[in-house]
């Protein structure tokens, strides 16, 4: 192997794009990784912009690779999505998240919600409703404490199936959030068609908030839209007090971001909550 100052992660991602041999090798390693328990969930707090309380967490997956270390999801989720590995991995993520919900509820935080990212392929997979319902029953967690984050791209897959499924989840009381809102094309069209509970303003809008007045107008429009459609709204990627203050003025109800905390390893979550003050 060549010596270089670049990290092994860079090689890892480049390999993945360039060589199909490595592609299959990584796919094999992913599957082995799931068997060997190398995946782990981090949790990022979601905070009320009104009273500063913790309202829930977003579950974010990482791959703890024995040689490379912690691999971020942007590196392997697209690959997992294209090979179908996202289905077994996604099931593991759902189970872990619901187990965590049970733990939180047992520790006296009965209202705590966990948001789980569901990728398009996973969303339309036939087993998803069964896996979710079965796991909720198994851990005796109320469906309204689970929130599924979907992106606009799911809408472009199989429209009929997606609506059917959203209706099913919504009848069960499971919450639906539209992630990265505003970055796709059809956002406004499907909001009238799909039963969703929440829209999540994409980080990019938040990043630009303090840089120009236009993005403030855009964020205000999204927040007003949510209000008019009776949806809740959450901002992601809030890094500064200034951003939070603008969001509050615009009527944003909830937020998450480095201002409060980076995603926290599962086993450190209790400690973090005990020392949280805002
Ligand atoms: P996302 O769902 O939009 O998640 C938000 C990403 O922004 C996370 O990156 C989070 O760590 C990061 N973030 C949170 N607060 C801040 C902030 O204040 N500033 C900045 N710069 N970044 C912030 P992460 O964990 O690396 O995840 C990246 C993407 O990978 C996610 O984007 C999501 O699309 C996907 N992903 C993560 N976990 C899962 C999962 O369990 N299942 C699926 N299907 N996709 C996942
Ligand atoms: Ca998300
Ligand atoms: Ca997002
Ligand atoms: Ca995003």
């Amino acid at each position: 192997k060549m010596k270089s100052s670049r990290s092994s992660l860079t090689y890892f991602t480049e390999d993945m794009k360039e060589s199909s041999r490595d592609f299959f090798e990584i796919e094999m390693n992913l599957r082995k990784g799931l068997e060997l328990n190398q995946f782990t969930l981090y949790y990022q707090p979601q905070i009320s912009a009104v009273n500063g309380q913790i309202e829930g967490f977003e579950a974010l997956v990482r791959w703890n690779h024995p040689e490379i270390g912690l691999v971020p999801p942007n590196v392997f989720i697209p690959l997992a999505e294209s090979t179908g590995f996202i289905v077994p991995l996604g099931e593991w993520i759902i189970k872990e998240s619901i187990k965590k919900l049970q733990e939180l509820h047992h520790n006296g935080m009965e209202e705590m919600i966990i948001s789980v990212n569901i990728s398009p392929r996973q969303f339309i997979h036939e087993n998803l409703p069964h896996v979710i319902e079965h796991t909720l029953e198994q851990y005796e967690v109320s469906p309204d404490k689970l929130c599924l984050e979907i992106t606009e791209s799911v809408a472009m897959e199989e429209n009929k199936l997606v609506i059917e499924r959203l209706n099913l989840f919504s009848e069960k009381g499971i919450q639906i959030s539209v992630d990265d809102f505003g970055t796709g094309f059809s956002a406004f069209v499907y909001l009238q068609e799909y039963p969703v509970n929440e829209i999540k303003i994409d980080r990019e809008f938040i990043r630009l908030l303090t840089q120009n007045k236009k993005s403030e107008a855009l964020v205000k429009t999204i927040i007003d839209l949510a209000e008019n459609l009776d949806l809740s709204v959450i901002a992601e990627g809030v890094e500064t007090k200034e951003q939070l203050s603008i969001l509050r003025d615009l009527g944003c109800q909830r937020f998450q971001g480095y201002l409060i905390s980076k995603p926290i390893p599962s086993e450190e979550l209790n400690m973090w909550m005990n020392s949280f003050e805002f």
Side-chain angles (χ1 to χ4, degrees), residues 7 19 37 57 166 175 202 209 217 224 234 242 249 274:
S7 70
S19 146
N37 226 348
F57 297 93
L166 287 171
Q175 310 224 37
D202 189 66
L209 254 190
D224 290 347
I234 180 166
E242 206 184 344
D249 289 344
N274 286 336

Side-chain angles (χ1 to χ4, degrees), residues 55-72:
E55 302 212 324
F57 297 93
E58 178 179 6
L60 294 154
V61 70
R62 274 102 183 85
W63 180 17
N64 205 344
H65 190 281
E67 281 130 45
I68 299 168
L70 220 53
V71 184

Side-chain angles (χ1 to χ4, degrees), residues 2-13:
M2 245 171 56
K3 276 216 165 165
S4 159
S5 61
R6 290 185 305 168
S7 70
S8 47
L9 187 59
T10 314
Y11 279 120
F12 184 77
T13 45

Side-chain angles (χ1 to χ4, degrees), residues 59-107:
L60 294 154
V61 70
R62 274 102 183 85
W63 180 17
N64 205 344
H65 190 281
E67 281 130 45
I68 299 168
L70 220 53
V71 184
N74 287 337
V75 175
F76 61 88
I77 291 286
L79 179 90
E81 173 79 2
S82 70
T83 63
F85 174 67
I86 192 67
V87 172
L89 177 64
E91 282 184 17
W92 180 86
I93 292 167
I94 288 165
K95 285 190 181 139
E96 283 299 302
S97 302
I98 292 175
K99 253 197 262 176
K100 195 67 181 181
L101 271 172
Q102 186 196 45
E103 185 194 316
L104 292 168
H105 295 168
H106 278 182
N107 287 338

Side-chain angles (χ1 to χ4, degrees), residues 58 117 149 151 178-181 200-203 236:
E58 178 179 6
N117 292 284
E149 290 194 8
T151 55
V178 182
D179 201 358
D180 302 339
F181 188 84
K200 196 168 200 179
I201 308 172
D202 189 66
R203 186 166 83 215
E236 70 176 3

Side-chain angles (χ1 to χ4, degrees), residues 133-185:
E133 285 162 33
H134 174 79
T135 314
L136 285 170
E137 277 169 24
Q138 187 186 354
Y139 291 99
E140 298 176 307
V141 167
S142 168
D144 65 343
K145 298 301 180 285
L146 179 68
C147 178
L148 308 178
E149 290 194 8
I150 58 170
T151 55
E152 293 172 35
S153 55
V154 81
M156 293 166 200
E157 304 275 314
E158 290 177 54
N159 196 44
K160 244 186 98 183
L161 178 64
V162 171
I163 294 186
E164 214 177 271
R165 208 144 264 204
L166 287 171
N167 282 325
L168 180 79
F169 289 139
S170 144
E171 278 160 25
K172 301 271 175 203
I174 294 164
Q175 310 224 37
I176 305 285
S177 175
V178 182
D179 201 358
D180 302 339
F181 188 84
T183 59
F185 291 107

